[in-house]
Amino acid sequence: MAKTTNKPKKPAAKSSKQHTNTTKKPDKADIERERLSSLINSMADGVIAIDSDGKVVITNGAALDILDSNVSISGKSIYRILHLVDQSRQKVDLRKVIKNIKGTHSTRDWLIQYSDGSEVNLYLSIAQVRLGYGKDTEHMHGYVLLLRDITREKSLEEERDEFISVVSHELRTPIAISEGNISNAVFLFKRSGINDPVVENALEQAHEQITFLSGMMNDLATLSRAERGKLNVEVEAINAHELVNQLVSTYQNDAKDKGIELKCELDPHLELLHSSKLYVKEVLQNFITNSIKYTEKGSVTIGAKSRENGVEFFVRDTGIGIGKSDREKVFDKFFRSEDYRTRQNSGTGLGLYVTMKLAKLLHAEIDLESQLNHGSTFTVYVPNLEPAGAPDKTA
Ligand code: ADP
């Protein structure tokens, strides 16, 4: 592979002709090289291109800033100059990461450690590239690393998470008390036999809103704990049959109120699943409440099938469905479809984001199949975990 640097090209040895003030017209390759060099150097993010052995072939000034180096790093091994650690300060094996890359790998979870012990939070993206063309394709590829110092962003995120955590914690008790009292009031009013549609309507609306608020607080509390890495996976034996049946009976009334049928499809050969019951249940609850919310007629089916070293749960509905472009975004934080039928229902856009966080903790895989106006199927494969929370090595 041809070695390239973005340093300004050294002037060629001067010939007698050059003394006579005739400048050599730059050829096309020179112009292209200059253009690439100034483009890379004007980037605010650090750029480092390495060859397949990890040797630096292109860098820019921003990369040197991030690496805190004032000497050229061209030709040096990236593994010697970029020292990365993860959030728990464990060394990141960059060589292994790069070896396993297929396409692009990006992360906001690593820090760069300097020789004096100081650290900087990093956004790092590593993409596989072809640095040349030719017959020797084996050695032609390299990688481009994009580096950005995100220390300030991270500390703002931490402050925000801290705020959400305190607020959701402080509001939890008053909301729970209000919810209990309003439910009681609705019940007492119905039992009193008083016929006052205005009071009845006011109570029902208060109940609906406080239930929404309580759900939102729960989502925010789980979200903040997940983002602060405060969620612990407590592995226990889960009877998937029992879990699905429980969920069906919990949501039977909600489905009935909307005129939807709630069905159950269970594989008779299900074995005990070893995972966190709390989080598996929360993931399924999020799918089920959404399916009921976004289905006007037809049915919602909850099911479980046996899969190698785990169980695959699914929630299928005949609801409004999710269009192609929205399918890519439904797991994003605060995303809600613009579809008017979505907006007719209250929601925060946090449910599926939290669901994805929980699934990651469980090493579970989520899949979504949907067709607009025909319905959606959310599937989650939950593997058996060892008590420590790592996937079973027998997998
Ligand atoms: P929300 O509080 O808005 O329901 P979620 O994060 O749970 O937030 O879902 C994000 C968005 O994904 C929803 O606003 C909706 O547009 C879409 N969505 C989720 N589940 C379904 C479903 N079963 N059918 C149709 N749309 C869905």
Side-chain angles (χ1 to χ4, degrees), residues 9-261:
K9 263 192 99 200
K10 276 187 189 156
K14 287 174 183 168
S15 68
S16 55
K17 259 191 172 177
Q18 281 171 317
H19 284 292
T20 60
N21 220 5
T22 11
T23 32
K24 180 187 163 261
K25 208 175 159 221
D27 62 20
K28 217 173 156 198
D30 286 335
I31 296 171
E32 283 303 321
R33 208 171 293 123
E34 285 300 320
R35 193 175 284 165
L36 179 68
S37 167
S38 38
L39 200 126
I40 292 173
N41 267 318
S42 60
M43 283 177 74
D45 289 340
V47 178
I48 302 177
I50 55 171
D51 65 15
S52 52
D53 298 324
K55 285 226 173 67
V56 175
V57 287
I58 301 176
T59 69
N60 67 353
L64 294 182
D65 278 351
I66 291 180
L67 293 171
D68 199 24
S69 168
N70 49 16
V71 292
S72 165
I73 55 167
S74 285
K76 292 190 182 162
S77 165
I78 191 75
Y79 309 119
R80 286 178 174 276
I81 51 179
L82 185 57
H83 303 286
L84 298 170
V85 289
D86 63 18
Q87 301 283 327
S88 46
R89 303 303 185 267
Q90 296 293 315
K91 197 173 174 299
V92 172
D93 187 345
L94 189 60
R95 198 183 290 270
K96 199 165 149 198
V97 172
I98 287 181
K99 199 172 149 227
N100 292 326
I101 283 179
K102 288 185 185 72
T104 310
H105 174 90
S106 55
T107 174
R108 291 165 52 84
D109 293 336
W110 294 344
L111 299 99
I112 179 165
Q113 258 184 353
Y114 299 105
S115 47
D116 62 357
S118 56
E119 298 170 336
V120 154
N121 282 94
L122 208 63
Y123 164 78
L124 175 67
S125 153
I126 310 174
Q128 206 173 22
V129 282
R130 218 157 265 287
L131 289 179
Y133 297 95
K135 282 182 195 151
D136 188 10
T137 48
E138 268 276 292
H139 303 288
M140 296 313 264
H141 67 267
Y143 303 87
V144 168
L145 286 76
L146 201 79
L147 305 97
R148 189 183 311 145
D149 178 353
I150 54 164
T151 308
R152 191 173 146 66
E153 273 173 59
K154 277 272 176 187
S155 83
L156 288 176
E157 276 170 25
E158 271 164 24
E159 272 174 38
R160 185 203 57 194
D161 290 345
E162 175 77 26
F163 175 75
I164 291 177
S165 160
V166 171
V167 168
S168 55
H169 185 80
E170 292 302 317
L171 289 183
R172 193 171 258 192
T173 314
I175 288 175
I177 294 172
S178 309
E179 193 185 7
N181 283 328
I182 295 174
S183 294
N184 233 346
V186 171
F187 172 75
L188 290 174
F189 183 78
K190 279 189 181 151
R191 213 180 56 174
S192 71
I194 300 170
N195 183 17
D196 189 335
V198 178
V199 176
E200 190 178 358
N201 190 29
L203 280 175
E204 267 168 14
Q205 277 203 25
H207 187 240
E208 202 177 291
Q209 293 305 317
I210 198 78
T211 310
F212 168 66
L213 201 56
S214 144
M216 190 167 119
M217 277 303 138
N218 276 341
D219 276 355
L220 280 176
T222 315
L223 171 75
S224 109
R225 277 183 292 133
E227 300 211 298
R228 288 144 56 89
K230 293 265 159 67
L231 293 178
N232 293 324
V233 176
E234 278 176 30
V235 177
E236 58 185 300
I238 308 169
N239 181 331
H241 264 270
E242 226 171 73
L243 178 65
V244 171
N245 282 325
Q246 251 176 30
L247 288 167
V248 171
S249 70
T250 306
Y251 289 99
Q252 201 59 261
N253 282 341
D254 291 353
K256 213 152 121 202
D257 287 349
K258 278 199 79 178
I260 301 167
E261 197 186 345

Side-chain angles (χ1 to χ4, degrees), residues 290-291 293-294 317 320-322 330 335-337 342 346-353 376 378:
N290 275 347
S291 280
K293 195 157 67 166
Y294 301 117
D317 65 57
I320 61 173
I322 305 167
V330 288
F335 176 80
R336 304 202 72 216
S337 168
T342 299
S346 50
T348 58
L350 281 175
L352 290 183
Y353 178 74
S376 316
F378 285 86

